[in-house]
Amino acid sequence: MPTPGTTLSALRTAVGVSGYVAPNLAGKAFGLDPAANPQAAYLGRLFAIRDLALATWVNGTDGDAKKLGWQVGIVCDAADFVAAPPPNEDGLVAI
């Protein structure tokens, strides 16, 4: 059974790859409306590359460097949570 760390790292990698390769499709999965907001693809790629960098950091290091990678990832996730507006009546996130 995979550890929570392995699962989180795999999710970061999946979100990163899908968000970079298919930002409109990934955006829809996160409640964005790319047709109404064409800039969402660009923003999606920014988040995607960040998730890929965090996953690579955690997977490619050990010891204190790995611990710091986890801590930076948690700070990024917490900041995303605080900054996220609530979804509108259609379930979409207005950005």
Side-chain angles (χ1 to χ4, degrees), residues 30-34 36-41 43-44 47 83-86 88 92-95:
F30 286 100
L32 300 176
D33 183 3
N37 187 0
Q39 297 83 1
L43 295 173
F47 281 100
N88 64 20
L92 299 174
V93 176
I95 55 171

Side-chain angles (χ1 to χ4, degrees), residues 57-80:
W57 185 353
V58 169
N59 290 330
T61 59
D62 55 13
D64 288 342
K66 185 180 211 105
K67 181 178 178 182
L68 182 60
W70 283 117
Q71 291 168 340
V72 169
I74 290 167
V75 169
C76 288
D77 292 339
D80 290 346

Side-chain angles (χ1 to χ4, degrees), residues 18-42:
S18 66
Y20 200 81
V21 173
N24 288 333
L25 183 61
K28 288 179 185 178
F30 286 100
L32 300 176
D33 183 3
N37 187 0
Q39 297 83 1
Y42 172 71

